[in-house]
């Protein structure tokens, strides 16, 4: 078997034994997928070209697509909100989650969140671990119970904000070099529906793209050309994608700045330009401008085109896209365990998440209580 065929064979055998186990032992015991679960992983694999995915990183698994989010000072509640909406659409059979914390203070807050209920392999990573040759540092466990002390948001446009944004292409490149497809999502994006089904639908009858994303045009009143949003992109690990991302990383390493403008300029001058990118439905993937009027039909709502954490939060609250009540209710400090995080998840939050999933997708989403 070739390397690619061997990886496909392994995925197929894993899926076969899981289905067989589900038939023998039952759906409830194994948390097996049901017929209402939407797209299947094979559909996603078919749009994920040129990959083998061997991340060689703690808690990460071979052969699974990486869902990546990045969080900085004071934005951990947005990570919780993202996770609450994204959870019903994540599939453990073919996905794993990488949460990148920009600094140790943020990591201390991130470690209070319940990730086990996703059912996915989850790796909590300090951003400096993904820079070339950086040594892996042992995370320091926080003893604080007061998350508000860690909730001081990094101001938009500040030096630290630009520094944090400049790390993004390096983090994406790290895993692309390992042959892994990377789906990067900003945490002010709400996955109101099944974003993977949107990817699959958009690719129907077309060749695989190097990247998938959405056109972050203004309010639709003026055609100002395409502009790929830098905060919601599915990257295939192709030579074209690597060239773009590496130039993007080099550009921001030389001059720290917001990331979207430089990314689009690099795409335009790289062979094929925007023809190498598949843009998702404007009716389904909405930004902060287009969502003002049409958010009810959206699969994705992105609270961009506005500055300030509270303004973004209110925008989402006004549309029923914010989950009040913290998931990180309690952190049980256990000195004998330096990697697992245990928290209590409120029934109220889970019930609200399930209700939103039913309204958005038409079926009950499996949201498990944390044991």
């Amino acid at each position: 078997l070739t390397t690619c065929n061997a990886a496909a064979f392994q995925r197929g055998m894993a899926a076969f034994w899981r289905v067989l186990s589900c038939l023998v032992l039952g759906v409830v015991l194994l948390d097996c997928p049901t017929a209402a679960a939407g797209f299947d992983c094979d559909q996603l694999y078919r749009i994920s070209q040129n990959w083998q995915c061997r991340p060689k990183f703690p808690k990460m698994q071979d052969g699974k697509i990486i869902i990546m989010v990045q969080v900085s000072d004071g934005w951990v509640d947005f990570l919780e909100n993202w996770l609450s909406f994204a959870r019903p659409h994540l599939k453990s059979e073919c996905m794993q989650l990488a949460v990148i914390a920009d600094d140790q203070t943020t990591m201390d807050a991130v470690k209070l969140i319940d990730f086990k209920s996703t059912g996915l392999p989850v790796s909590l990573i300090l951003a400096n671990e993904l820079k070339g040759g950086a040594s892996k540092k042992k995370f320091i466990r926080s003893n604080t119970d007061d998350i508000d002390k860690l909730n001081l948001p990094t101001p938009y446009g500040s030096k630290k904000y630009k520094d944090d944004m400049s790390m993004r292409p390096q983090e994406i490149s790290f895993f692309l070099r390992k042959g892994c497809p990377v789906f990067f999502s900003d945490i002010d994006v709400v996955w109101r529906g099944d974003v993977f089904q949107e990817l699959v639908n958009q690719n129907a009858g077309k060749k695989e793209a190097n990247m998938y994303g959405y056109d972050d045009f203004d309010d639709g009143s003026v055609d100002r050309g395409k502009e790929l949003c830098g905060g919601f992109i599915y990257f295939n690990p192709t030579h074209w994608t690597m060239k773009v991302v590496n130039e993007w990383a080099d550009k921001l390493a030389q001059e720290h700045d917001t990331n979207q403008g430089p990314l689009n300029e690099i795409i335009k001058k790289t062979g094929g330009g925007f023809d190498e990118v598949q843009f998702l439905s404007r009716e389904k993937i909405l930004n902060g401008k287009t969502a003002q009027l049409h958010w009810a039909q959206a699969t994705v709502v992105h609270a961009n085109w506005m500055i300030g954490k509270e303004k973004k939060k209110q925008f989402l609250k006004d549309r029923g896209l914010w989950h009040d009540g913290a998931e990180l209710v309690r952190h049980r400090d256990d000195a004998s365990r330096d990697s697992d995080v245990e928290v209590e998840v409120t029934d109220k939050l889970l019930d609200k998440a399930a209700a939103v999933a039913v309204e958005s997708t038409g079926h009950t989403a499996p949201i498990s209580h944390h044991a």
Side-chain angles (χ1 to χ4, degrees), residues 52 58 78-79 166 189 199 201 205 220 223 273 283 332 338 345 356:
Q52 300 163 17
F78 273 78
L79 173 60
S166 297
V189 174
L199 288 170
N201 290 346
D223 184 4
E283 288 72 35
R332 188 174 72 188
D338 56 18
V345 183
V356 170

Side-chain angles (χ1 to χ4, degrees), residues 97-108:
L97 180 61
V99 180
I100 316 296
D102 289 338
D103 51 54
Q104 184 63 58
T105 299
T106 304
M107 176 60 75
D108 290 340

Side-chain angles (χ1 to χ4, degrees), residues 54 71 94 131 173 186 245 280 282 288 344:
R54 293 185 174 83
V71 59
C94 55
K131 293 182 178 180
S173 175
D186 276 345
V245 173
L280 303 176
R282 285 184 173 184
E344 292 176 352

